[in-house]
Amino acid sequence: MGYGRVTWSTISSAKVSFRRVLKHESFNKAAPTLVSNDSGLIDSVIPLLNSKIIQYILNVYNPTLNYLVQDIENIPIHNKVFNNDNILKLYQSCFVSSKKDWDAHETSWDFKQNELITQNRKNVKDAFGKFKDYWSGEFYHLHHNEEELNHQFIEIYGLKNELTSDVPLKEITILQEESKIVNHELFIDPVPVLLQLLSYSVGCLFGRYSLNKSGLILANQGDTLQDFLNKCFHQPFA
């Protein structure tokens, strides 16, 4: 199945957060990493590590800001966590939603096109309306999945009297730039969304992006207009 890796920040003033390490990513002492020769094993463990259960356990035997490798290795993992189809399905759904959010920003290596452009509407107002509907759905879907995962692990570890599955909306990590929680509801702010469109538009003007082709077009020193035309229209221009 191939090897898998999971990393976290050594020092955190908030709850510890665990992330899958992809093939092209590296790690260092500020972000220690556990490695397994079974990627399926990592996929089973990551949702548990990000659940309320683990924060509860870590707070018991390590109530500090430092989360060392030994602390994570000492976490008791119940056998029912492994090869649990329901848990894996929920985790994969969470992963897909989170990656879509990351890839919707220009900082992602897999960025394709600005989100308002992908809505394919006649004007910005309509595009923002579609954007808001779509990403609100993704946000609440992710929230539901995280609470359901908490419920699954609380049942497995028998901690119904100590913990609830509730997840505050402010802890949902997608739409960090574009939204805030107002009166316990999601509010998507149009300003950062429009600023992202402006940044993408400037990128189109300078040839970094194009409406004719998704993804990065020109990014190297010395790239010319001829290179831009060749990449966007798939044919040489005289």
Side-chain angles (χ1 to χ4, degrees):
M1 297 181 65
Y3 74 95
R5 300 178 291 173
V6 58
T7 187
W8 67 96
S9 299
T10 303
I11 300 175
S12 175
S13 59
K15 57 183 264 187
V16 63
S17 177
F18 296 85
R19 306 169 296 277
R20 180 197 285 179
V21 182
L22 302 180
K23 291 182 179 180
H24 59 271
E25 296 171 340
S26 61
F27 53 90
N28 57 35
K29 63 181 181 180
T33 300
L34 294 178
V35 181
S36 170
N37 59 6
D38 184 349
S39 62
L41 182 66
I42 293 296
D43 287 345
S44 295
V45 169
I46 288 180
L48 170 65
L49 293 176
N50 282 313
S51 71
K52 274 189 169 183
I53 292 285
I54 297 310
Q55 195 64 52
Y56 178 79
I57 292 173
L58 288 174
N59 288 342
V60 171
Y61 70 78
N62 180 26
T64 71
L65 300 180
N66 293 282
Y67 299 98
L68 305 178
V69 172
Q70 182 178 352
D71 298 323
I72 308 306
E73 287 181 332
N74 287 337
I75 292 173
I77 301 180
H78 199 288
N79 287 334
K80 290 184 179 179
V81 169
F82 300 110
N83 300 318
N84 186 310
D85 290 340
N86 192 30
I87 290 174
L88 284 174
K89 183 178 178 180
L90 288 166
Y91 161 68
Q92 288 163 358
S93 180
C94 290
F95 180 85
V96 168
S97 294
S98 298
K99 190 172 190 308
K100 278 195 291 188
D101 173 73
W102 176 252
D103 290 343
H105 299 83
E106 291 183 39
T107 47
S108 169
W109 288 7
D110 295 322
F111 173 78
K112 299 298 183 184
Q113 196 172 54
N114 176 264
E115 283 296 289
L116 289 182
I117 300 297
T118 63
Q119 304 307 319
N120 196 27
R121 301 288 104 180
K122 292 183 179 180
N123 55 61
V124 174
K125 180 180 179 181
D126 290 347
F128 178 72
K130 294 291 290 185
F131 171 95
K132 188 164 61 171
D133 290 344
Y134 175 79
W135 281 105
S136 293
E138 286 290 318
F139 182 93
Y140 285 109
H141 180 64
L142 181 58
H143 179 254
H144 168 77
N145 285 345
E146 290 194 14
E147 290 194 329
E148 181 58 30
L149 282 168
N150 278 333
H151 173 74
Q152 295 281 333
F153 294 126
I154 288 171
E155 289 287 329
I156 289 173
Y157 280 80
L159 293 172
K160 291 179 289 185
N161 295 329
E162 287 78 15
L163 296 172
T164 69
S165 61
D166 298 343
V167 177
L169 292 180
K170 65 180 181 180
E171 292 185 4
I172 302 302
T173 54
I174 66 172
L175 298 177
Q176 288 292 294
E177 293 182 14
E178 303 87 354
S179 71
K180 52 188 175 182
I181 306 303
V182 179
N183 296 326
H184 307 292
E185 292 186 1
L186 176 69
F187 170 75
I188 297 181
D189 188 349
V191 174
V193 178
L194 293 175
L195 288 175
Q196 291 169 9
L197 175 63
L198 178 61
S199 174
Y200 179 76
S201 300
V202 172
C204 288
L205 289 174
F206 284 92
R208 183 174 179 81
Y209 307 115
S210 172
L211 296 176
N212 297 94
K213 184 178 179 181
S214 63
L216 191 63
I217 307 300
L218 300 183
N220 301 312
Q221 185 176 10
D223 281 344
T224 66
L225 175 60
Q226 188 68 59
D227 295 320
F228 177 83
L229 295 173
N230 291 343
K231 289 182 178 181
C232 289
F233 298 97
H234 305 290
Q235 59 182 1
F237 281 74

